[in-house]
Amino acid sequence: MSRGRDPLVLGQIVGDVLDPFTRSATMRIMYNNREILNGSRLRQSAVVDKPQVQIEGNDPRKLYTLVMVDPDAPSPNNPTDREYLHWLVTDIPETLDASYETGNIVSGNEIVSYESPRPQAGIHRIALVLFRQQVQQTVHAPGWRQNFSTRDFSAFHNLGLPAAASFFNCQRESGCGGRSRPMSRGRDPLVLGQIVGDVLDPFTRSATMRIMYNNREILTGSRLRQSAVVDKPQVQIEGNDPRKLYTLLRKPTPTDRDSPYRTCALPSASPAASASAWVASKLQHERLLRLP
């Protein structure tokens, strides 16, 4: 499926919870014998009991970790508890589900017990994320469910990118209407253009940057011909404290053979045209990702 039509992108699970990934496993989720598809809408009463989660395959030696989180807690307008951890299960083999029991043998190791979603305001997205384990390892339960980070959990346990993911929308019994989300996320052109997700993690803007090509101010999503971007742009950072410095990154052009990126340190309130030069950076991509 193309990136633009991926329901995980359209639902902003990619961006708010996950980085972009390529699916490498098939996960089926069932609530009360009803298969849940991306974007399904369920009431609280339908998710009281833990779901059946089946990973298709025939090699029980392959193990997976399942994470279930709510990125909209306590409300989509003010998700201060993002991500709220509802369920965490490790060592799930292929062909079996995380809640399947046979006698005293439980398929999967439940690290954090299932807590059913109980949204009190708005419609909440509930994401189920599946990771392929390279080895069987000890995983400890976090001290609290609020402000869990699926990305940090994956990095700490060397799980890599997800193998599969799905989400559904959950609403309280008496709730009505659609999702209520702040403009900064739902209508942000960086989200709609998938810059957040493909290039960046979600962030809150803390500076104002103006970009000018040939004395024309460029807005997010502007369309320009190649002939209009031959010369470097003017980039101005609004402010009046020249002691504040910034780093500007741009994607490489075909002539940038010596460096994958180029950077320029810009003082506040100074356009890029007056900066000393674009400085070739020898930073590797991994280091660039860690820039503050």
Side-chain angles (χ1 to χ4, degrees):
M1 181 179 295
S2 66
R3 182 70 51 81
R5 297 181 181 179
D6 186 341
L8 294 172
V9 173
L10 297 176
Q12 298 173 32
I13 298 301
V14 170
D16 286 351
V17 179
L18 306 174
D19 293 328
F21 69 97
T22 300
R23 191 180 70 172
S24 58
T26 299
M27 174 175 64
R28 297 182 63 208
I29 302 166
M30 304 280 289
Y31 270 108
N32 303 317
N33 296 319
R34 171 191 171 188
E35 185 168 2
I36 305 304
L37 304 178
N38 277 315
S40 296
R41 183 171 295 187
L42 302 174
R43 298 287 184 176
Q44 290 181 6
S45 57
V47 296
V48 172
D49 298 322
K50 66 180 69 171
Q52 289 181 312
V53 180
Q54 185 176 11
I55 304 159
E56 294 187 5
N58 54 12
D59 187 351
R61 295 170 300 178
K62 291 182 179 179
L63 299 178
Y64 294 85
T65 291
L66 177 70
V67 176
M68 179 176 175
V69 295
D70 177 355
D72 296 321
S75 73
N77 278 332
N78 189 29
T80 55
D81 289 343
R82 175 179 295 172
E83 304 156 21
Y84 189 90
L85 179 62
H86 282 280
W87 201 21
L88 175 58
V89 186
T90 65
D91 303 332
I92 307 169
E94 284 186 351
T95 73
L96 296 176
D97 66 84
S99 61
Y100 178 80
E101 297 186 13
T102 303
N104 294 324
I105 300 175
V106 179
S107 171
N109 183 18
E110 192 174 60
I111 305 299
V112 176
S113 62
Y114 178 79
E115 180 180 309
S116 63
R118 294 187 294 271
Q120 297 302 308
I123 299 175
H124 290 218
R125 298 162 298 164
I126 308 298
L128 292 99
V129 185
L130 188 71
F131 294 97
R132 169 76 189 280
Q133 297 175 207
Q134 299 303 315
V135 295
Q136 191 170 8
Q137 58 182 312
T138 300
V139 176
H140 298 287
W144 47 84
R145 294 178 184 260
Q146 296 89 341
N147 302 123
F148 182 83
S149 171
T150 301
R151 288 185 177 96
D152 290 349
F153 174 81
S154 172
F156 184 81
H157 293 286
N158 297 311
L159 295 174
L161 292 173
S166 185
F167 82 101
F168 62 88
N169 294 303
C170 188
Q171 189 176 25
R172 60 191 176 95
E173 295 301 312
S174 59
C176 61
R179 287 183 55 77
S180 176
R181 307 201 64 198
M183 177 177 176
S184 60
R185 187 59 53 81
R187 299 180 185 177
D188 187 341
L190 293 174
V191 173
L192 297 177
Q194 299 174 33
I195 300 302
V196 170
D198 287 351
V199 180
L200 304 174
D201 291 331
F203 68 98
T204 300
R205 191 179 70 171
S206 59
T208 299
M209 176 175 64
R210 298 181 63 207
I211 303 170
M212 304 280 290
Y213 269 108
N214 303 316
N215 296 319
R216 171 192 170 188
E217 185 168 2
I218 305 304
L219 304 178
T220 300
S222 296
R223 183 172 295 182
L224 286 78
R225 300 286 186 181
Q226 291 182 2
S227 58
V229 294
V230 172
D231 298 323
K232 68 181 68 171
Q234 289 181 311
V235 180
Q236 184 174 8
I237 303 164
E238 294 186 4
N240 55 11
D241 188 351
R243 295 171 299 178
K244 292 182 179 179
L245 298 178
Y246 296 82
T247 295
L248 177 70
L249 302 182
R250 67 179 176 89
K251 292 291 286 184
T253 67
T255 58
D256 292 336
R257 301 183 185 277
D258 59 337
S259 175
Y261 292 87
R262 294 179 183 270
T263 65
C264 180
L266 300 178
S268 177
S270 174
S274 66
S276 58
W278 290 78
V279 182
S281 172
K282 299 301 181 182
L283 292 174
Q284 297 298 316
H285 183 62
E286 290 78 7
R287 287 189 61 196
L288 285 169
L289 292 177
R290 295 187 178 93
L291 283 175

